[in-house]
Amino acid sequence: MKTLLRGPVGTAAGFTLGAVLLLGVAPAILPAFNLGLLGKFLCFAIVAVGIGLAWGRGGMLTLGQGVFFGLGAYIMAMHMKLADASLFGGSGVPDFMSLYGSGEVPGWWEPFRSPAVTLLAVVLVPGLVALVLGLAIFKRRVKGAYFAILSQALAAAFAVFLIGQQATTGGSNGLNGFRSFFGFDLKDPNNKLMLYMIAAVVLLLSLAVARELMHSRFGELLVAVRDQEERVRFLGYDPATVKTVIYVVAAVLAGVAGALFVPLVGIISPADVGVIPSIAFLIGVAIGGRATLLGPVVGAVCVAAAQSGLSSTFPSFWVYFQGLLFVLVIGFMPGGLASLPALVRRRREVPRGAQPPVPDPPAPGPVKPDPDVPNPAAHGRATAPEEVSR
Amino acid sequence: MELLIGQMFAGLSLGSVLLLAALGLSLTFGQMGVINMAHGEFMMAGAYTAFVVQQAISDAGASLLVSIPAGFLVGGVLGLVLEAVLLRRMYHRPLDTLLVTFGVALILQQAARDIFGAPSVDVRAPAWLQGNIELLGAPIPLTRLFILGLSLLCLAGLVLLLKATPLGRRIRAVVLNRDLAETSGVSTRRSDQLTFFIGSGLAGIAGVAVTLIGSTSPYLGTNYIVDAFLVVVAGGIGQIKGAVIAAFALGVLQSVFEYSTTASIGKVLILIVIVVFLQLRPQGIFSLITRSLA
């Protein structure tokens, strides 16, 4: 199982290569429009890192990531609308409010005038919502299936709520038409490049955090909760705490991604946050390999790229394709693409003596993947760099 | 007073629609732990069945009476196919069934768009269901009364089937203890297929019913699926009586919330109510008493 590219050296190498590709090569060779698109895909990839942790590692099927994405995005969008209104309108009232609303800024918008509050809220609001919901659900040992359904209902309710509040959230049109981002003009190509860079750096940072989490004792505990929750409880840990923590991490990542999405894409609407987009986040994660570190990122970027390429040209074909992806990947390849090398390696590897029927006592360091577990988890070590560059 | 009765009836009628949508789910989810996201699309298939039948039989009354069994068959066959092709392999991964069936739901939605077009179509209600009756001075639409009756009829049929027939006994045995049922000679394979057929068929009937109160579009299923799941969660998995109470409670609550606030805030309030309720009873209103830890 040991290749040269495992362990800290391999990780550092892979990480550096990814950084060079994202921060150096991509801006140099891609035209501005495509770079903006790539920035949008990177936002989805940040969400995917969180889903990989919560779902792939923790076994929690979270179908409500759109809510956290939306919270981060709407908070950022509200700030940008207010800032634009002060900079260009002079009145301090966002344009759509004069159209649909009373022409007065509602009280709950006001805190987001301040850039500092906005940046804090982008992290804290999704985190707190996830904390409350996570504690409410996990502490009372509500079943996994119930959690999935409740998180989905949350996404549905959130979208309905946004659409219903035409006067204060822009309704189904969402918020759009931004002109500046913290005082930087959004039309300026340099600022667009800066936004892309920020997204890439945030993605790399979230990958680093995810890797540290996976390799910590907490990460081992998380996988243990996924595979044998009762056993973990009998060992004296509280699975609810483990699950809540990782759910909050995933929510914060989604919120930050949403906040970056708004200046990059220029619009946030209920269509980006409801039930369908929330589930669509999952498919990229599943294709790449839900339990790996880089799989979700690669999968999310590939699916987003495919979607933006295909859905405009062949809208009907894209929906069929998306449906088929769910059926084929989840139904027949639950480990995703990341499980392919492992399968090939398992074929090639000469068995070093017979496998003992009882698993070895867990040695410090990465756990051996258990061939009996239906969800073959590659254990978050850095993948070979050629996989990064795909 | 009239207003109160009208509101209560609106709640009951919403509850009856939810119950129709949730009955089949309660069965498939309870028996097999399969979370079938395509259940809503089976409803949609039932609704389009009513539309197609009406194209063939122009008399609205006759077409409605033909549509109900036809919708049951269409939904049931779709369910059988889904079970045979996909879900059979996935019983050990219940959470993943949700995502696979979501994929199926996407495909069915797009198929409906390609076959019937994206704009919604209307099914005419028969003449004897047009108009209202007066109840203590409040107008009650006959169509909604019909749906209430239909859902109670389906409920009675399902309860009879489960309580009073050998097939129902086998289904209940499998719900309670799959392995023991299998060792006692119950074919769980056949029981699974039948359960899926009946549960999906009920979705088809629900689809026919909702054509009476609204138009039919490819997105019809998505409007109901989340609420139907919430009914099952609040009621307790595999508990028909829990689903009944939860459906009517949620229906009444929702119409009360919508009346006192707005529809959009009402949705959020409902969700909060359910989460709070699960704090008190994490297993739902009723739960099977088993010795399993999960």
Side-chain angles (χ1 to χ4, degrees):
Chain A
M1 296 290 270
K2 284 245 186 296
T3 61
L4 268 179
L5 281 159
R6 299 205 177 273
V9 177
T11 307
F15 203 78
T16 316
L17 188 82
V20 167
L21 275 176
L22 282 179
L23 301 173
V25 178
I29 60 171
L30 287 176
F33 173 75
N34 296 37
L35 197 66
L37 268 184
L38 182 59
K40 175 179 160 183
F41 303 161
L42 294 188
C43 291
F44 295 148
I46 297 169
V47 181
V49 172
I51 294 178
L53 283 172
W55 180 42
R57 290 272 156 163
M60 292 179 272
L61 185 55
T62 156
L63 301 177
Q65 290 307 93
V67 174
F68 306 120
F69 184 82
L71 283 172
Y74 267 92
I75 287 169
M76 180 59 77
M78 278 158 35
H79 169 73
M80 285 162 73
K81 277 311 244 194
L82 290 169
D84 279 3
S86 317
L87 274 176
F88 304 102
S91 62
V93 179
D95 43 14
F96 74 94
M97 286 191 183
S98 327
L99 275 176
Y100 301 110
S102 55
E104 303 224 336
V105 180
W108 54 273
W109 273 63
E110 285 300 339
F112 304 113
R113 277 200 194 278
S114 124
V117 170
T118 304
L119 288 178
L120 272 175
V122 158
V123 173
L124 289 180
V125 172
L128 281 173
V129 172
L131 180 70
V132 171
L133 200 72
L135 285 176
I137 293 177
F138 301 133
K139 280 287 179 202
R140 296 293 291 147
R141 301 192 202 170
V142 171
K143 282 201 186 87
Y146 283 24
F147 167 73
I149 289 164
L150 286 172
S151 62
Q152 186 182 35
L154 183 74
F158 187 63
V160 168
F161 174 79
L162 288 173
I163 291 169
Q165 303 293 311
Q166 177 79 39
T168 53
T169 63
S172 49
N173 304 330
L175 299 174
N176 52 32
F178 308 106
R179 296 160 72 179
S180 66
F181 177 72
F182 293 99
F184 293 93
D185 184 3
L186 278 175
K187 287 199 183 69
D188 184 343
N190 283 334
N191 292 341
K192 284 186 174 167
L193 178 65
M194 174 189 75
L195 277 172
Y196 164 82
M197 286 292 192
I198 294 173
V201 169
V202 170
L203 174 63
L204 288 167
L205 280 176
S206 50
L207 275 173
V209 169
R211 187 183 176 280
E212 285 313 304
L213 271 173
M214 283 180 179
H215 284 254
S216 64
R217 292 175 58 112
F218 179 83
E220 299 290 350
L221 201 53
L222 185 65
V223 174
V225 167
R226 178 189 73 195
D227 295 338
Q228 281 287 346
E229 189 172 336
E230 287 306 323
R231 201 176 288 182
V232 172
R233 184 173 287 127
F234 293 156
L235 287 170
Y237 296 100
D238 182 6
T241 312
V242 178
K243 284 172 157 181
T244 307
V245 168
I246 210 72
Y247 189 46
V248 169
V249 170
V252 168
L253 284 173
V256 171
L260 285 166
F261 178 90
V262 171
L264 273 162
V265 181
I267 178 168
I268 180 74
S269 74
D272 302 315
V273 304
V275 172
I276 298 226
S278 294
I279 301 188
F281 281 137
L282 290 167
I283 189 63
V285 176
I287 290 176
R290 59 179 88 162
T292 58
L293 178 67
L294 288 175
V297 172
V298 174
V301 171
C302 288
V303 170
Q307 175 159 10
S308 77
L310 292 170
S311 63
S312 49
T313 347
F314 317 102
S316 131
F317 168 76
W318 167 250
V319 180
Y320 284 128
F321 181 68
Q322 203 183 8
L324 269 179
L325 274 183
F326 270 102
V327 171
L328 296 177
V329 174
I330 310 262
F332 300 92
M333 214 167 108
L337 293 175
S339 61
L340 281 181
L343 291 172
V344 173
R345 219 181 297 124
R346 201 171 301 158
R347 290 260 173 86
R348 273 198 320 214
E349 226 180 47
V350 185
R352 284 162 304 185
Q355 280 283 326
V358 184
D360 297 334
V367 185
K368 282 204 195 96
D370 183 350
D372 299 334
V373 176
N375 176 4
H379 276 270
R381 286 165 298 222
T383 4
E386 63 265 19
E387 273 189 55
V388 185
S389 55
R390 234 187 300 129
Chain B
M1 186 66 198
E2 291 93 75
L3 198 64
L4 184 73
I5 295 205
Q7 277 299 314
M8 282 309 284
F9 186 78
L12 279 183
S13 115
L14 185 61
S16 65
V17 175
L18 284 181
L19 179 62
L20 263 182
L23 267 183
L25 264 188
S26 177
L27 202 61
T28 49
F29 195 13
Q31 155 121 12
M32 294 178 269
V34 169
I35 309 172
N36 180 13
M37 288 294 291
H39 193 84
E41 276 55 45
F42 293 171
M43 279 176 75
M44 173 194 79
Y48 275 114
T49 305
F51 173 72
V52 170
V53 167
Q54 191 158 76
Q55 300 299 312
I57 308 172
S58 55
D59 175 51
S63 79
L64 176 65
L65 295 179
V66 173
S67 298
I68 291 174
F72 181 85
L73 269 180
V74 168
V77 167
L78 280 173
L80 270 185
V81 171
L82 177 69
E83 203 273 347
V85 174
L86 283 175
L87 299 180
R88 204 156 48 86
R89 316 159 192 279
M90 301 188 57
Y91 287 143
H92 59 284
R93 290 191 284 141
L95 277 185
D96 284 1
T97 58
L98 189 155
L99 296 170
V100 167
T101 50
F102 175 76
V104 173
L106 283 180
I107 292 170
L108 287 174
Q109 268 180 33
Q110 188 58 42
R113 257 195 300 274
D114 287 348
I115 298 169
F116 298 101
S120 50
V121 295
D122 278 309
V123 178
R124 281 173 294 116
W128 41 270
L129 282 182
Q130 278 158 8
N132 303 321
I133 56 164
E134 293 274 316
L135 183 78
L136 301 175
I140 304 286
L142 278 167
T143 46
R144 295 202 170 256
L145 206 59
F146 178 82
I147 292 176
L148 184 63
L150 182 67
S151 71
L152 293 177
L153 201 69
C154 287
L155 173 68
L158 185 61
V159 170
L160 270 178
L161 175 97
L162 287 176
K163 295 279 184 220
T165 63
L167 166 71
R169 246 199 327 277
R170 285 200 293 272
I171 289 179
R172 280 184 297 136
V174 174
V175 171
L176 282 168
N177 192 327
R178 179 172 287 270
D179 295 342
L180 194 53
E182 181 78 55
T183 37
S184 316
V186 175
S187 163
T188 52
R189 191 68 214 102
R190 279 207 45 208
S191 152
D192 285 348
Q193 283 170 334
L194 271 165
T195 311
F196 229 85
F197 176 73
I198 295 166
S200 309
L202 286 169
I205 292 186
V208 175
V210 296
T211 56
L212 295 172
I213 50 172
S215 51
T216 303
S217 79
Y219 304 105
L220 180 138
T222 41
N223 299 334
Y224 290 99
I225 187 76
V226 176
D227 289 343
F229 266 123
L230 285 179
V231 166
V232 175
V233 165
I237 289 191
Q239 294 291 311
I240 305 276
K241 59 183 174 198
V244 175
I245 295 174
F248 286 115
L250 286 186
V252 170
L253 267 182
Q254 194 152 331
S255 58
V256 167
F257 283 153
E258 277 180 22
Y259 178 70
S260 48
T261 58
T262 62
S264 58
I265 294 179
K267 272 263 188 267
V268 180
L269 285 175
I270 287 273
L271 188 66
I272 292 172
V273 167
I274 290 176
V275 172
V276 170
F277 174 75
L278 285 177
Q279 295 300 295
L280 309 170
R281 297 192 68 96
Q283 307 287 330
I285 300 174
F286 299 106
S287 55
L288 288 174
I289 296 170
T290 61
R291 302 186 51 158
S292 78
L293 290 162

